[in-house]
């Protein structure tokens, strides 16, 4: 009986440990996905400044629907010539939780950001699996995003 209970407990623990299996985020895949979405997205390259202590921390969170966080973005927006359009404004960082796992990001890091636009509202989701924020992108990745913008996504 004890062995059966231990086996069930291990199965449950293993299930929880693998419950959040994330594929490595891919910016090209994200570009294609948001291009097909009915929502409007901007692709930005620059830094976010915000109070990182307002993000949910760790994997054991009381919050399942964290509050949005005001952030300041400074950088560039993508156009057909690349990231050449200066862009600076207040945006909303929205942490998203999948069960006990919540997404977050680091302020002050040069990042490639897929941001959702709804009227005057600009929202950047941070999910536990990533996919909307790509920290420290390479020049090659930024050039690839320009190619995608011009209809030549690899």
């Amino acid at each position: 009986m004890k062995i059966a209970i231990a086996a069930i407990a291990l199965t449950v623990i293993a299930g929880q440990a693998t419950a959040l299996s994330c594929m490595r985020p891919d910016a090209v895949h994200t570009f294609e996905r948001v291009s097909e979405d009915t929502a409007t997205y901007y692709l930005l390259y620059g830094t976010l400044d915000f109070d990182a202590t307002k993000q949910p921390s760790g994997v054991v969170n009381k919050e399942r629907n964290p509050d949005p966080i005001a952030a300041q973005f400074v950088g560039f927006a993508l156009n057909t010539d690349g990231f050449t359009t200066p862009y600076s404004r207040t945006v909303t960082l929205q942490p998203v939780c999948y069960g006990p796992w919540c997404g977050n990001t680091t302020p002050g890091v040069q990042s490639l950001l897929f941001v959702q636009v709804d009227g005057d509202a600009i929202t950047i989701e941070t999910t536990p699996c990533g996919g909307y924020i790509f920290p420290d992108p390479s020049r090659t990745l930024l050039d690839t995003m320009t190619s995608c913008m011009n209809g030549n996504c690899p």
Side-chain angles (χ1 to χ4, degrees):
M1 180 71 164
K2 288 182 182 181
I3 293 174
I5 291 172
I8 291 170
L10 284 174
T11 301
V12 169
I13 291 169
Q16 289 176 345
T18 60
L20 186 64
S21 296
C22 299
M23 292 183 67
R24 183 177 178 172
D26 177 87
V28 171
H29 177 73
T30 301
F31 187 96
E32 292 170 342
R33 189 176 69 242
V34 301
S35 294
E36 295 170 359
D37 198 325
T38 57
T40 301
Y41 285 83
Y42 290 165
L43 189 49
L44 306 176
Y45 172 64
T47 59
L48 290 169
D49 183 31
F50 62 95
D51 183 353
T53 64
K54 293 185 177 182
Q55 296 182 106
S57 60
V59 294
V60 181
N61 290 288
K62 293 180 275 184
E63 295 183 70
R64 294 296 180 252
N65 298 303
D67 291 331
I69 302 165
Q72 182 65 38
F73 174 81
V74 175
F76 298 90
L78 179 64
N79 62 48
T80 56
D81 295 325
F83 290 91
T84 59
T85 304
Y87 194 82
S88 176
R89 67 168 291 167
T90 299
V91 298
T92 301
L93 193 61
Q94 181 58 66
V96 175
C97 298
Y98 302 156
W101 300 276
C102 296
N104 59 43
T105 191
T106 305
V109 174
Q110 289 284 337
S111 298
L112 177 66
L113 307 161
F114 290 84
V115 302
Q116 189 171 2
V117 181
D118 186 9
D120 288 336
I122 305 288
T123 304
I124 306 165
E125 286 190 349
T126 61
T127 67
C129 292
Y132 293 103
I133 300 174
F134 295 86
D136 296 319
S138 66
R139 171 60 28 207
T140 301
L141 179 57
L142 297 175
D143 291 344
T144 298
M145 293 296 99
T146 303
S147 294
C148 288
M149 182 70 164
N150 288 304
N152 301 314
C153 230

